Every structure is written in structure tokens, then in C-alpha cells.
Amino acid sequence: MSQTRRTTTRSSAIAWAFTAPYALLLLAVGVVPALYAIYGSFNSLKNPTSLSFDNYAAVVHDFRFLPAIGNVALFTVIWIPVMVFGTILLALLLHEKVGRFSSAMRLVFFLPGAVTGSAAVLLWYFMLDPQVSPFAPSLHALGLHTSNDVFTSSNLAPIFALVAFITGVGQWIVIMFGALQGIPQELLESARIDGAGPFRTALLIKLPLIRKYVVYMLILAFAAALQIFAEPSLFYSITKSGSSWWSLNQLGYTFAFAQGDFGQAATVSVVLMVVSAAAALFLVFKTDFFKNEEES
Amino acid sequence: MFENQPTTGRARKGASIAALLATAVLALSACSGGGASQAAPSDDPNATLLVWTDSTRQAGFEAFQKANPNVKMKIETVDGSALLTKIQLFNRTGSGWPDVVFSQNPDDATSLSSSQYNYMASLDSLVSQDVQKGFGNANQGCTQGGKLMCLKNDLAQDVLWYNKPLMEKFGYKLPTTWDEYQALGKKVAAEHPGYIIGAAGDTNVYYDYFWSSGCPLQTVVSDTEVKINTKDPKCTRVADMLDPLLANGSVAKASPFDPSVAALGKDQKVLMMPGASWFGDFVFKPAASFGSPEGVIAAAPIPAWSGEPTNYSGAQGGGIYMVSSHSKNTAGAVKIALWMATSNDYQTTAPTYPAYGPAATAWAARLASDKFYAENPFPVLQAAAGKINPAESPTRYGMAPALSATVTAAIKSGKTIASSLEDLQTQLAGVAQTTGYAVTQ
């Protein structure tokens, strides 16, 4: 008994030693600012000396809050399925026949992700504006002749989803591909011997084995979707489509930097944190994300 | 990797906390708290002056430094959209403020002089009455709570820019009222489809049309009260005038800066366009924009709205110089701002119409000798300089976001301006209230 306890203590000490650098960083640039933001969200400009729910009341009743939720929800609903299915499909295809072509394609998929957020948005503006796009003939064929035709308010969420998908899919393919590489060869071989074709192997063997990565991706993608900022704010500043409070993060930015109200900005951040944390906890506890074989 | 994940109950809890924290880090983007601190500045003529400018005005500040080599100054170019943020951060840390700031955005005068920012020094006693008089009513937006808080650099009064040979070729008369402008638009659509007499798909729809009409969108009653009423006849008449022209295509649904309008400009299909005093040099002239040839573009007075005493215009821009109330060398800072705003040495070379009257007169020589214009636009610009509609003044809220989300969005998607005015009322009133104004209709 005591032997076991000593082993446990020692191994947990080692674990802490390994995680300490990350934990310290997390504390300094994550947890402490988060706690400060939570404090700030209860500290309003109107009532700076005491803590209150003033900011929450103001934000919830702000005429921009509900439309921003609607926009972000629409974006999330379009982007996440496209992202998750797209990534899995492409990763499975690449893994089906591992070779030179597959690794070349992996690089090709990864390349758009090398163009970071804001540059990617500018690139896409030039690709989508029929007046300047190299694909102008195809856009004209679709009946799109001016940027007004393309960047209508109803097109914005799908356009942002497209940009976010192309720029984000590459790195997730690399991660999923890595996960697929981890599947033991014997397992795939025995599936083949049992008569499973590539389709059944992908669906019934590979997919269940990488599902934890899919959950992991879902959590991060959901958190990223809630925070959408670069796409709407840059497209707005170029095309004046959408608004400077299209998304929740833009609204928070407006509170902080156009209105100078850091308390309300912190409130938006706390709301975002609560929602994405709740979603993460749901996925962690209601799926077998952190279970091992014995438990599940 | 899959079959061997040692997970105890405690590790699982730890992992879920880690996941929670990770999402917290991902989700948090802003922080809060604190208030402005102020130290009583004692003037030191040798203190180094920090100057913040945009790149356009940088050459001017450098010229000042060259003419005054004994003044210790540091010139930095900054992104104007980050100005309020940075001042707020300095208010929190209690140091770092720039001594002199040039801003392209006239609304900054209202924000930065408010108690929330408390940044600007009052210039009332620091700028002589003679000089103040030289500005005419140009410093109206710089006067906050009865005090002169900034100096206007340039005026962005609107005129009606037009293509002179084209107007003669088509045999059209210049419109002097907006009713005539509308009639001309209908004629252009019928006789010369494809030609435009304006472009309204941007915030300039406010500057050129709503503001000139005196539509109460930024009608400041006091520091804490603003009048916003899109149902006012001065607003609805703008919609009535423009909607048919947007429908028949004689006024473009795009921004003057949109590639599609630039293409029309290059093809000499822009018959006329109401626009700020800087449109000639910055929209019609550059090859990257309309690239109009020499001897084509001229300026006419902006049309008058019926029933108004004069042909008021709006103003699209007009930069300001501000001096910090935290400066350790206020006299030096004022000297720089004053030189930039009023000296002929700089203003005659300035790219935009000088706000300071005597400097504008000196600046005129540059336009008179510019072969780009079919006729010297200066007399028209000068006449318009004193006619910026005083009904509207800068506010702590910017007009642009609410306007873009409602009126401009409607125009761009082919809906009428009339249908968007109710949304504009809601959004603008909402924005005004969140920045601490009571809204009256």
C-alpha cells in the first residue's frame, strides 16, 4: 500500500516537473488575465467603486448583442461541419495510399494555412471581387459582376466559413494524418484479411480509433468559431459589408477601443469563455475523450 | 498511442481543468479595470516633445524640426485607429502620452476631451485671439464645452466635382439645387445610361447628402445630449431625392473608392460627383484611382436643398492638432501645433485645403497653377469653406459603423434608403446611448 503511494507521489512529482513550464505560462498569460477580466466584468464605468452586474445588464440589452450572437451562430453552424468532415475526409483519402503523392498533397493542403489570418483575408478579397479577381470570368458566369453582388450581408457567413476552412484545414489534416499513422498496421491488415474494403476500413476501423482527435478538434474549432474576428473586421474595413460589430469579438473590440469601456469588453469575453468552457466540459464528460480502454 | 493512456480519476479531473483553462485562454481577449491618473505638469522648455502623426503630415513636422533645430522633438507615425486605445493605456499606466497629436478623425476631439479620456489641453489662453479669428468657424468642431481644444488642419467641405468637356458635350447645365440634380440624374439614366453623377455606397452618403441637408444624426445639444431623428423631413428628403437615382443607376450603389467606380472614372463615365475638397487631388487625379487626364475636372458649388438659406455642404474629414494636458512642455507643444496649422511655410505645401484662412489664401497659388483642373477650383472651394452645415458636429460616437450597417448596406444590396432609416435610428441612438448621450428625437 505505502509502496504504491510512494510510487504515485514520485510519478506525480515528475508529472508536475514536466508540466510546470507550461503551467507557469498558463498562469501568467492565461489564468491571471482571465481572473482580471472576470473582476473587470463586474466593475462598471458607471459604478467604479463597487462590484455589480451593470456590465452584464448593459451588454445583454445592447442592440448589437443578439445580432452578433446570430451571426456567430450561423458562422459556427456552417463552418464546423465543413471543417470537421472536410478534414476527416481529406485525411482519410491521404492515408488510404501513403506515398509520395500523398505527402505532396499534404503539403498542398497545408500551404494555404501558411498565409496567416489577415493576409489570407486580403488574398480572398482579391479572389472574390469580380473587378479584380483572376477568376473574374467564373464569377461573372455566376452572375456576380461587382463586389456588391458578392459581399452581401447574407453571403458573409459562408464567405468567412470558406476563408476559415481553407486557411485552417491544412494543419488539422496534418494532425489527423498523424493520428491515422498511429493506428497499428496489424489492425488494418486483419481488417483487410476479414474482407473490409477501403471504405469500410475507413468508416469502421480508422474513424473510431481517431475519434478522440476529432473531439479535440471540435473543442478547439468551437472556441475558434466563437472568437471569429479577423475575417469580419477586415472584410468590413475593405468592403464596408457587415459591420464593426458583426461578431461578438468585434463587439468586444468596439466596447474596449471605440467606446473605451473595458468592463463591457471584459463581459463579452467572459460570456465567450463560459460558453466555450461549457461546450468543452460537455465534450470531455459526456464523451470518452479522457477515458482509457479499461474504463470505457 | 491509443491503447495506452494511463488515466486516473485525479488526472482526468486535472485534464478537464486544463481543458477548461485552455478554452479560457482562447476565449479571453480583453481585460479591464483602473482609471486615469493625472500628474500636475510643470513646464520645462527643454523637455523632449513626442509628436504623433500620420504619414501624410510627417513631412510637415520634419520641416518644423528643420526650421527649429533647438526644439527637442521625436516624431512618430502612428495608426490613427489605435489612438484612443493608446491614450487609454497611457491613462492606466500614468505615462507615455504624446505631447502633440495629429488625427485625421474630427470625432477624436470630442472623445479625447471628454472626462473619460481627459487627454487634451485647452488652447483658449495659449492661442491668440487674432489667430483664432483667422480660422473663421473652422474650429467649431474643436470647441468642446465652450473651450478651444484643438486646431483644425484642413477643411473637407463638399463641392460638386464634374467632368467639364463631358457636360458640354452632353449639353447639360450644372444643377444648383438637389431637385435639379435629381432631374439631371433621370435625364442621364435615359439619355446616357452607364454614366454616373455620384456614388453613394459608402459613408460619403452621409457627408455629401445627409449632412448637407442638415438631417439630425449628430446634432449635438450638449455634452450629454444629442438629437437623432431619421424621420425628420430633412432626412426623408434625402431618401426621396436619391432612391430614384440609385434605382435608375445614375448614382452608383458602390463606394467612390470601389474598383467598379474607379473603372467608370478611368472610362470617363463619371459625369459628376459630390465630394470633399480633397477628391480632386486624391480621387480624380491619381492613376491608381480615376486617373483623369489634364484639363477635364472642375468644381462647382454643391447644390442647395430647397428651403435652406444657403447651399450647405457636409465635410468628409478634416484633421486636427491636439496638445496633451500631460505635457511637460506645453508651450513647446503649442508652438508645434500652431506652426503646423497656421504657418504658410507648411500649409502652402499641404495636400489638403488649409483650415486657417490666411494659409488657405496662400495655398490657392498651388491650385491656380495646376494644369490638372479644367478651371481653378479654388474660388469654389473657398466659398464652400464657410458653409459646412453647422447642424452637425463631431460626437464621441463615430457615425460610420451604424451608417454602414444600415443605409450603406441597403444601398449596396439594391434596397431603398427610405427602408433603412428606421434601422439607422435604432442603431445610431443605441450607439449614442452607450457612449453616454441622452437621445432626443
Side-chain angles (χ1 to χ4, degrees), chain B residues 43-122:
Chain B
D43 236 30
D44 166 14
N46 290 319
T48 306
L49 293 157
L50 178 59
V51 172
W52 276 10
T53 175
D54 64 348
S55 53
T56 316
R57 261 41 69 158
Q58 190 181 3
F61 286 109
E62 279 164 359
F64 174 87
Q65 173 75 96
K66 218 170 160 190
N68 300 276
N70 55 334
V71 174
K72 283 188 207 137
M73 61 193 280
K74 202 171 145 204
I75 303 165
E76 289 177 0
T77 48
V78 292
D79 168 20
S81 61
L83 181 62
L84 295 187
T85 316
K86 287 185 172 161
I87 298 296
Q88 267 181 315
L89 292 177
F90 296 144
N91 282 348
R92 272 154 196 272
T93 55
S95 66
W97 299 281
D99 298 275
V100 180
V101 176
F102 172 81
S103 168
Q104 293 181 355
N105 182 358
D107 287 337
D108 284 348
T110 325
S111 301
L112 289 174
S113 62
S114 70
S115 59
Q116 194 187 342
Y117 292 89
N118 225 348
Y119 166 71
M120 288 152 80
S122 164

Side-chain angles (χ1 to χ4, degrees), chain B residues 21-345:
Chain B
L21 292 177
T23 46
V25 177
L26 284 164
L28 278 161
S29 57
C31 46
S32 79
S37 66
Q38 243 179 317
S42 53
D43 236 30
D44 166 14
N46 290 319
T48 306
L49 293 157
L50 178 59
V51 172
W52 276 10
T53 175
D54 64 348
S55 53
T56 316
R57 261 41 69 158
Q58 190 181 3
F61 286 109
E62 279 164 359
F64 174 87
Q65 173 75 96
K66 218 170 160 190
N68 300 276
N70 55 334
V71 174
K72 283 188 207 137
M73 61 193 280
K74 202 171 145 204
I75 303 165
E76 289 177 0
T77 48
V78 292
D79 168 20
S81 61
L83 181 62
L84 295 187
T85 316
K86 287 185 172 161
I87 298 296
Q88 267 181 315
L89 292 177
F90 296 144
N91 282 348
R92 272 154 196 272
T93 55
S95 66
W97 299 281
D99 298 275
V100 180
V101 176
F102 172 81
S103 168
Q104 293 181 355
N105 182 358
D107 287 337
D108 284 348
T110 325
S111 301
L112 289 174
S113 62
S114 70
S115 59
Q116 194 187 342
Y117 292 89
N118 225 348
Y119 166 71
M120 288 152 80
S122 164
L123 302 175
D124 265 336
S125 57
L126 301 167
V127 174
S128 75
Q129 284 301 318
D130 277 355
V131 172
Q132 291 194 30
K133 273 189 199 122
F135 279 94
N137 58 5
N139 277 332
Q140 192 208 358
C142 276
T143 311
Q144 301 292 331
K147 284 186 183 157
L148 180 70
M149 301 304 281
C150 59
L151 295 174
K152 199 88 175 159
N153 173 64
D154 57 316
L155 288 181
Q157 73 277 37
D158 288 331
V159 293
L160 191 59
W161 295 101
Y162 68 100
N163 185 320
K164 198 165 182 241
L166 204 56
M167 284 294 282
E168 284 163 9
K169 189 177 143 199
F170 290 170
Y172 292 148
K173 227 178 88 219
L174 283 165
T176 57
T177 66
W178 289 105
D179 293 336
E180 287 175 25
Y181 177 84
Q182 189 191 44
L184 179 71
K186 288 176 178 165
K187 231 159 127 180
V188 168
E191 295 168 7
H192 302 284
Y195 287 80
I196 58 166
I197 63 165
D202 204 334
T203 39
N204 68 315
V205 71
Y206 168 63
Y207 305 116
D208 301 336
Y209 302 104
F210 283 104
W211 187 342
S212 67
S213 170
C215 162
L217 298 179
Q218 276 188 302
T219 301
V220 177
V221 180
S222 73
D223 283 355
T224 50
E225 192 179 337
V226 69
K227 185 180 167 190
I228 300 171
N229 183 10
T230 62
K231 286 199 183 105
D232 192 291
K234 289 183 178 184
C235 302
T236 51
R237 69 181 176 188
V238 175
D240 293 341
M241 194 277 291
L242 268 180
D243 278 335
L245 304 187
L246 288 163
N248 71 22
S250 60
V251 169
K253 296 183 186 76
S255 158
F257 312 108
D258 191 85
S260 63
V261 175
L264 290 175
K266 284 201 172 67
D267 291 349
Q268 304 251 355
K269 287 193 165 173
V270 178
L271 186 61
M272 62 175 60
M273 183 178 278
S277 52
W278 48 267
F279 265 45
D281 276 3
F282 290 93
V283 177
F284 286 94
K285 197 191 263 183
S289 180
F290 293 4
S292 301
E294 285 186 353
V296 167
I297 300 302
I302 200 93
W305 291 94
S306 58
E308 294 297 330
T310 183
N311 60 331
Y312 279 131
S313 87
Q316 185 164 7
I320 52 172
Y321 296 101
M322 298 173 268
V323 170
S324 167
S325 59
H326 311 282
S327 178
K328 294 201 166 60
N329 183 358
T330 311
V334 171
K335 193 179 164 191
I336 297 176
L338 209 53
W339 187 88
M340 286 296 290
T342 61
S343 90
N344 286 349
D345 293 344

Side-chain angles (χ1 to χ4, degrees), chain A residues 34 36 40 209 213 227 239 260, chain B residues 1-2 26 28 32 88 116 412:
Chain A
Y36 188 56
L209 285 173
Y213 288 80
Q227 294 176 79
T239 67
Chain B
M1 178 158 212
F2 294 90
L26 284 164
L28 278 161
S32 79
Q88 267 181 315
Q116 194 187 342
K412 283 156 73 82

Side-chain angles (χ1 to χ4, degrees), chain A residues 124-146:
Chain A
W124 275 93
Y125 165 70
F126 282 107
M127 291 211 271
L128 290 172
D129 186 331
Q131 295 281 334
V132 289
S133 172
F135 305 107
S138 356
L139 290 165
H140 292 320
L142 289 167
L144 306 166
H145 298 284
T146 66

Side-chain angles (χ1 to χ4, degrees), chain A residues 25-37:
Chain A
L25 273 177
L26 183 71
L27 204 67
V29 297
V31 179
V32 173
L35 292 176
Y36 188 56

Side-chain angles (χ1 to χ4, degrees), chain A residues 132-204:
Chain A
V132 289
S133 172
F135 305 107
S138 356
L139 290 165
H140 292 320
L142 289 167
L144 306 166
H145 298 284
T146 66
S147 67
N148 279 0
D149 298 336
V150 178
F151 301 104
T152 60
S153 34
S154 54
N155 282 354
L156 289 179
I159 288 175
F160 299 156
L162 176 76
V163 176
F165 172 70
I166 306 253
T167 52
V169 72
Q171 45 199 344
W172 281 109
I173 287 178
V174 172
I175 292 170
M176 287 296 165
F177 190 84
L180 287 167
Q181 293 284 60
I183 299 175
Q185 272 307 316
E186 310 89 73
L187 212 61
L188 297 175
E189 243 165 68
S190 44
R192 213 168 16 249
I193 291 163
D194 285 348
F199 188 72
R200 283 170 70 99
T201 312
L203 202 67
L204 299 174

